[in-house]
Amino acid sequence: MWAQGSIAALEEHMNAERSICQRIYGLGILLAVVGGLAGSPLASAAQGQDRAVLRVGTSGDYAPFSMAYGNNVGTSWKPQGFDIAVAEAYARDRNLEIEWVQFQWPHLRRDLARNRFDIAMSGVTQRPERSLIGHYTVPVAATGAVALVRDGRRFSKTEDLNHTGVTIGVNHGGHLERVTRGRFPNATIRAVTGNETVPELLIDGEVDAVVTDTLEAPHWQLGRSGISRLGPFSRDEKSYLVQLDRADLARDLNAWLIAAEANGTLNRLRKTHLGRPSRPQPAAPTMALLSNVAERLSLMPLVAASKRASGRAIEDPEREKAVLGGATRAVREAAGREGTRFPSRAALENFFRSQMEAAKAIQRAALEETPGETSPARTLDLDNDLRPALDRIGSRMAFLLTHLPSKLDPAQVQREATEVLAFSGLDSSQIDAIAESIVAVAHSEDEAEARAVPSRVLSQ
């Protein structure tokens, strides 16, 4: 769960970006992420017209997702890595020209808001504050935070690092700095700019440990003996973060990623750049849907703080009824546009109710862990800041629900749900309820609803 005070810190961090959130246009509750690309730059490029330019923001310092060697910043700057290969494969299929734009991690959200690039592809971790300022795609990889230490006798378990007198190095401004500060509040955290310089702090004896993730850790350990690994102590989904006004790009890339997962393209790239294929596959519809659920739940502590500041109750039956109706309509419309089967209304309602109950449980727990009043100046606005982000997540959710396989193994879905939602704050019964509701949606079909969809929806 969330450490005490973490909600207030995140609210304060996001307050500077309130103006960005105001740009989010008012979508209806859980609109379907569907619709053609006719007339868009992507469509023009695919039809063989002038090649559109896709501006890809990447750091060049995060192995194995994005690495750039040597001092070649400028027009010839060319990173390498898994996300770079994915961007190139997508660009080839869509006949796009890539313009690489280097960013530094502390400036990722600012650069995205200032239109320096269309999309960030650099091992970007899903975080609630990032959900507020862009469109996440379906996940492409999952990692976990780990600590590397040289004194394995002194530090034999993760808890040994959370003490006064222990110094931990980590990259400044990224997801791992937040994880480190939350996990080791009693240690001294040394956050440095330039991810590639972090392991040298450990080698030179300047810190007792450094924090990285399960995919980057082998690169830092390569050729360096005597380094032990502790953890993982988080689960982190890696996705791509698309600029807020590029919903067309987010829709098209999501469709491409799901297809690339199904035809083996992503796993071939994972084998080349990450060292192994992924089982289960993060961009497959079921895993992507669970990630979508986790992203939505990650915003619930902020929702709870906003409700407290505005005097709203956690329970809002009228609002829940409206959300439930809008959610099921969104899935029906998505199924009509996508030409997929229609899950039954009862199964869909059960799925969304299971999420509502989980969301309320996390809100209650968040308020219990953060006693006292939260300053309104540091609290995100529910209607203008948070609900638009929830709408975007809901749009992707509607799309993914229509792409679930018609048959799912309940035991496998339960294992996947436990893995994806392990750090969400839910108990096992709540996770099981979500898993069971997903299986029920996949196994259901409502032909009557399919016939009821107007033909105009199918042609849009």
Side-chain angles (χ1 to χ4, degrees):
M1 285 298 294
W2 289 59
Q4 196 172 90
S6 62
I7 296 175
L10 183 53
E11 290 165 350
E12 184 175 21
H13 188 72
M14 283 302 302
N15 189 55
E17 291 164 355
R18 182 179 297 273
S19 62
I20 300 169
C21 297
Q22 300 294 341
R23 297 169 50 207
I24 305 174
Y25 48 86
L27 299 176
I29 301 299
L30 298 176
L31 291 176
V33 57
V34 290
L37 294 170
S40 72
L42 292 175
S44 297
Q47 293 166 5
Q49 300 176 16
D50 292 342
R51 295 180 70 193
V53 175
L54 179 66
R55 299 172 303 156
V56 177
T58 196
S59 66
D61 68 351
Y62 188 6
F65 296 98
S66 173
M67 302 161 286
Y69 303 103
N71 185 22
N72 60 342
V73 176
T75 57
S76 63
W77 191 73
K78 177 62 174 68
Q80 304 172 39
F82 172 72
D83 283 348
I84 308 307
V86 172
E88 291 172 337
Y90 173 68
R92 282 194 301 270
D93 283 354
R94 295 297 190 259
N95 194 28
L96 300 172
E97 180 180 347
I98 294 180
E99 176 186 335
W100 302 107
V101 181
Q102 187 179 27
F103 68 75
Q104 293 183 329
W105 286 104
H107 304 148
L108 168 58
R109 282 171 288 123
R110 181 198 70 184
D111 289 348
L112 188 70
R114 291 181 179 179
N115 196 30
R116 283 197 67 215
F117 41 81
D118 303 307
I119 182 172
M121 304 179 74
S122 195
V124 177
T125 303
Q126 290 187 3
R127 290 198 56 86
E129 69 272 18
R130 292 171 179 167
S131 296
L132 299 180
I133 53 95
H135 303 265
Y136 270 125
T137 67
V138 298
V140 295
T143 65
V146 296
L148 301 181
V149 300
R150 297 200 68 179
D151 191 343
R153 288 178 296 180
R154 179 185 176 191
F155 306 109
S156 61
K157 56 186 183 298
T158 304
E159 292 72 20
D160 294 337
L161 295 171
N162 189 29
H163 294 287
T164 302
V166 176
T167 302
I168 304 174
V170 68
N171 182 40
H172 171 57
H175 165 72
L176 289 174
E177 181 183 358
R178 286 187 174 276
V179 172
T180 302
R181 293 189 184 280
R183 186 66 178 78
F184 308 110
N186 297 319
T188 298
I189 308 303
R190 183 172 172 184
V192 297
T193 299
N195 190 53
E196 70 280 358
T197 67
V198 176
E200 299 306 320
L201 298 177
L202 182 65
I203 301 305
D204 295 341
E206 297 184 36
V207 298
D208 299 298
V210 294
V211 172
T212 179
D213 64 39
T214 50
L215 288 174
E216 187 177 45
H219 293 264
W220 286 9
Q221 291 177 284
L222 188 64
R224 294 164 173 150
S225 60
I227 296 179
S228 303
R229 185 190 309 188
L230 304 176
F233 41 88
S234 73
R235 177 186 167 83
D236 305 320
E237 303 277 6
K238 302 296 186 181
S239 298
Y240 304 130
L241 187 59
V242 181
Q243 197 181 95
L244 201 59
D245 59 1
R246 291 302 312 273
D248 61 328
L249 174 59
R251 284 194 297 266
D252 187 65
L253 183 53
N254 275 327
W256 184 88
L257 288 169
I258 290 174
E261 189 75 277
N263 65 30
T265 297
L266 288 182
N267 255 346
R268 286 192 294 272
L269 294 177
R270 291 186 188 109
K271 185 175 181 180
T272 299
H273 297 277
L274 307 185
R276 63 184 185 278
S278 179
R279 301 282 191 276
Q281 299 171 322
T286 306
M287 286 291 285
L289 180 61
L290 286 166
S291 173
N292 216 94
V293 171
E295 182 187 358
R296 188 176 190 276
L297 293 176
S298 74
L299 291 172
M300 290 305 113
L302 296 177
V303 170
S306 182
K307 286 182 176 179
R308 178 178 58 197
S310 60
R312 303 190 196 192
I314 290 178
E315 294 278 353
D316 188 347
E318 288 302 314
R319 175 71 182 179
E320 292 175 14
K321 182 179 179 181
V323 169
L324 192 61
T328 53
R329 286 193 299 273
V331 178
R332 290 182 64 208
E333 293 174 3
R337 291 193 177 101
E338 293 292 307
T340 57
R341 63 185 179 80
F342 287 72
S344 75
R345 184 184 297 274
L348 287 173
E349 289 182 352
N350 183 48
F351 169 75
F352 288 114
R353 283 197 186 98
S354 70
Q355 284 196 77
M356 289 178 183
E357 293 307 310
K360 288 186 286 187
I362 292 178
Q363 290 179 46
R364 294 188 188 99
L367 294 184
E368 291 174 0
E369 291 185 2
T370 54
E373 291 298 321
T374 300
S375 169
R378 294 167 55 196
T379 303
L380 297 173
D381 183 80
L382 183 60
D383 294 320
N384 296 320
D385 296 332
L386 293 166
R387 280 182 176 157
L390 293 171
D391 289 345
R392 290 194 299 278
I393 296 170
S395 297
R396 195 179 336 122
M397 188 174 293
F399 172 77
L400 291 168
L401 281 166
T402 66
H403 284 76
L404 288 174
S406 59
K407 296 296 180 182
L408 291 174
D409 177 2
Q412 179 179 340
V413 175
Q414 195 275 337
R415 288 192 298 270
E416 292 173 353
T418 300
E419 177 183 337
V420 174
L421 301 175
F423 295 92
S424 66
L426 300 180
D427 61 34
S428 59
S429 64
Q430 293 164 330
I431 294 174
D432 288 347
I434 291 174
E436 291 167 4
S437 71
I438 291 174
V439 173
V441 170
H443 291 184
S444 71
E445 187 167 9
D446 194 325
E447 295 181 1
E449 287 196 359
R451 291 193 297 270
V453 175
S455 58
R456 61 178 176 81
V457 173
L458 297 174
S459 63
Q460 287 178 350

